[in-house]
Amino acid sequence: MSQIIRRYIPIGMMMILGLLLFAEFFIQFDDPWKSMVSNSSMEVQNYAIIIAGFAMGLGAINLLITHGSSIMKREKGQWPFSAWLLGVMIVFTVVGLWLGTSSNQYQFLFNNFYYPNDTTIYSLIGFMVVYAIYLTFRAKTYETTYMLVLAFLALLGNSPIGPALFPPLTDLQNWLSSVPNTAAVRGFYMAMSIGAIVVGLRTLMGRERAALGG
Amino acid sequence: MDRAKKGKLETVRKLAPIEALEEAVGRAIELGKPIMTTYSFEDSFSAPNMVGLESVRYVSKLAAAKGGKVLVGVGAARTLPLAVENYRLGCVEAGAPEMFDDRNVYFFTQQQWAYTSGVIGLMNKERPAACTFIGPFLVEGIHLGIVSRRIGTISIGGNTSYSMGAFMFVTMDYLLLGEEMFAASAYMSGDPILISNITAGDTVKWVLGIVILVGTVVALIGTNYIGQLLGV
């Protein structure tokens, strides 16, 4: 019985709903089928949004369990941060539910607490990319030397000084980008797309266990 | 699939990141450190996210079999129950259900940089000996790769995006790139029918390759026969 509830019913639902969404996208129906498939598909997507709302509740419970236990145990170096996290979560939830997410108070909290932190982490990309370049472009092996030379050519081709010193550099850089690079990218995406289709089919057939967790 | 059902098993070349993962888990257990696994913040049930969830199960299975602690970082709330269930299932499959502890599942958020900060914080706090980042990561892959290098952990990434995978390629120790991720998913599942899917996918690639080659030759001759045949 538990096998039926935990495995076969979810697989059946996944197949039926998946095929419905597939049909709406790939098959051109005539009325009244068209409106029926379209309405059913819309309904399924609405349910997905409702379920996502419940999932947020599960996320909040997980935060309460992990950080609540850290506060209760007074975990060294961690509990003040856990207390801060739960405090901020409660304040945002109360203000958002009570005054609405478009209220001045909520916007104040969002713009002065969340947004600066978000942009700070984002802006670190500049430094990270420089470090990644340093890691990559060291002519230690044949592959890294090849990458270093190509990157140098691309950099010179895109900067004003390169074509000024050596005019054919622009054509060379364009050729590198549009012929060998494009060929490699197309091959990559074609192979990847076939793999993704196979995973999609495996999921629809209920063979992809990660989708059901068992 | 028919061949697999008849017991004719396909042999799959072992992927270096998967072999490294097995070694990394062993190393983490020797050092008495945890293993962290996360699969990006994307709020969808896309194919790369499915592979990421499969990796949670596989890492949990490897670690639980040897008594190792696993930390699971979750981005999107919708995938949280699946991550918990895959973590639990991995422990059960390893014959060590007692290794499952839902306090080791860390929910962050589906906001990109908040999720990234959370994962970086967890890595700095717990200092895992091995980390897996298999999933639809975006530019945050570069942050996670560099933090991995800084704390001296073995990092194993996986990405299907050409441009975003490049960030992980340059900063992580091992990377499953593009279709390798889907092959790894079948390999990690250990299911012969799923492994046979890799052969089916490869056959399709051969057919497409031949069509492209013939089409190129025909086009060079000066006709559009293949194009007319395919209606393009």
Side-chain angles (χ1 to χ4, degrees):
Chain A
M1 187 64 186
S2 83
Q3 190 69 344
I4 294 171
I5 293 168
R6 289 178 67 89
R7 188 156 180 81
Y8 297 117
I9 293 176
I11 289 175
M13 282 172 69
M14 203 159 66
M15 281 180 81
I16 294 165
L17 299 179
L19 287 173
L20 175 74
L21 296 175
F22 247 69
E24 197 219 356
F25 194 78
F26 288 108
I27 302 172
Q28 217 159 14
F29 291 101
D30 292 325
D31 272 326
W33 289 100
K34 189 180 175 184
S35 55
M36 199 179 92
V37 169
S38 168
N39 290 341
S40 311
S41 160
M42 188 72 77
E43 202 67 23
V44 168
Q45 288 174 54
N46 287 339
Y47 273 112
I49 294 166
I50 295 166
I51 292 167
F54 278 108
M56 281 308 290
L58 285 177
I61 291 168
N62 177 280
L63 286 176
L64 286 171
I65 292 171
T66 46
H67 293 280
S69 109
S70 165
I71 296 166
M72 302 257 273
K73 287 180 192 163
R74 291 284 191 276
E75 222 173 273
K76 199 180 168 194
Q78 173 61 38
W79 78 267
F81 297 110
S82 294
W84 172 252
L85 185 141
L86 291 184
V88 169
M89 187 178 86
I90 291 164
V91 169
F92 266 80
T93 310
V94 169
V95 175
L97 288 175
W98 189 26
L99 301 168
T101 51
S102 51
S103 66
N104 288 338
Q105 292 83 346
Y106 190 89
Q107 289 300 318
F108 174 82
L109 286 172
F110 189 86
N111 290 333
N112 292 287
F113 283 84
Y114 175 76
Y115 198 61
N117 284 314
D118 199 59
T119 43
T120 303
I121 303 291
Y122 178 61
S123 61
L124 289 174
I125 288 175
F127 303 101
M128 301 282 186
V129 168
V130 171
Y131 182 57
I133 288 170
Y134 167 73
L135 288 175
T136 317
F137 299 139
R138 281 185 294 182
K140 278 188 170 179
T141 60
Y142 169 74
E143 286 89 355
T144 49
T145 312
Y146 173 71
M147 279 183 77
L148 177 66
V149 171
L150 286 179
F152 187 70
L153 284 176
L155 199 69
L156 266 186
N158 275 316
S159 57
I161 194 165
L165 291 173
F166 185 60
L169 199 61
T170 310
D171 291 337
L172 177 67
Q173 194 261 323
N174 285 338
W175 181 82
L176 281 172
S177 148
S178 58
V179 181
N181 185 53
T182 306
V185 172
R186 283 184 184 161
F188 175 91
Y189 277 117
M190 275 172 68
M192 197 273 292
S193 306
I194 292 166
I197 291 167
V198 170
V199 171
L201 287 173
R202 287 200 306 235
T203 308
L204 273 182
M205 289 189 301
R207 304 290 314 191
E208 191 70 35
R209 290 191 299 174
L212 298 170
Chain B
M1 279 169 78
D2 282 340
R3 277 168 60 84
K5 279 178 187 165
K6 285 173 191 163
K8 289 173 187 166
L9 300 180
E10 307 293 340
T11 49
V12 183
R13 173 177 61 88
K14 259 201 169 182
L15 297 161
I18 299 295
E19 279 187 333
L21 180 60
E22 288 163 15
E23 279 173 30
V25 168
R27 177 177 171 261
I29 290 157
E30 274 173 25
L31 293 169
K33 288 182 170 184
I35 302 113
M36 196 200 76
T37 177
T38 184
Y39 52 92
S40 109
F41 65 94
E42 191 185 277
D43 183 25
S44 78
F45 296 107
S46 63
N49 241 357
M50 289 294 113
V51 180
L53 286 163
E54 185 67 48
S55 76
V56 171
R57 188 190 62 80
Y58 188 66
V59 170
S60 308
K61 187 179 168 183
L62 287 179
K66 294 174 182 170
K69 181 183 173 186
V70 177
L71 308 168
V72 184
V74 179
R78 270 202 300 173
T79 61
L80 176 64
L82 291 177
V84 174
E85 188 60 12
N86 276 289
Y87 170 35
R88 189 193 63 78
L89 194 70
C91 296
V92 171
E93 282 179 358
E98 72 281 0
M99 294 303 296
F100 172 75
D101 183 353
D102 59 3
R103 282 172 301 178
N104 290 339
V105 180
Y106 291 84
F107 169 69
F108 299 116
T109 164
Q110 64 207 47
Q111 300 295 321
Q112 184 178 20
W113 299 109
Y115 162 80
T116 310
S117 315
V119 175
I120 291 173
L122 183 64
M123 287 165 77
N124 278 312
K125 184 190 149 208
E126 298 281 349
R127 301 270 162 170
C131 293
T132 67
F133 306 100
I134 299 173
F137 286 89
L138 297 178
V139 73
E140 74 278 4
I142 198 168
H143 289 69
L144 303 174
I146 286 173
V147 172
S148 299
R149 293 182 83 92
R150 198 176 62 73
I151 65 167
T153 180
I154 296 175
S155 50
I156 297 161
N159 207 315
T160 51
S161 164
Y162 177 76
S163 49
M164 299 302 158
F167 290 124
M168 298 174 99
F169 175 74
V170 296
T171 54
M172 292 188 183
D173 297 314
Y174 296 93
L175 181 71
L176 291 162
L177 189 58
E179 57 165 342
E180 276 185 340
M181 246 177 89
F182 304 122
S185 163
Y187 177 80
M188 288 189 290
S189 74
D191 184 341
I193 293 180
L194 294 196
I195 292 170
S196 73
N197 286 178
I198 302 173
T199 318
D202 283 350
T203 312
V204 173
K205 277 174 226 159
W206 272 104
V207 172
L208 281 178
I210 291 165
V211 169
I212 290 169
L213 202 65
V214 172
T216 310
V217 172
V218 169
L220 284 173
I221 292 167
T223 64
N224 187 27
Y225 179 69
I226 298 279
Q228 284 167 354
L229 201 69
L230 296 173
V232 289

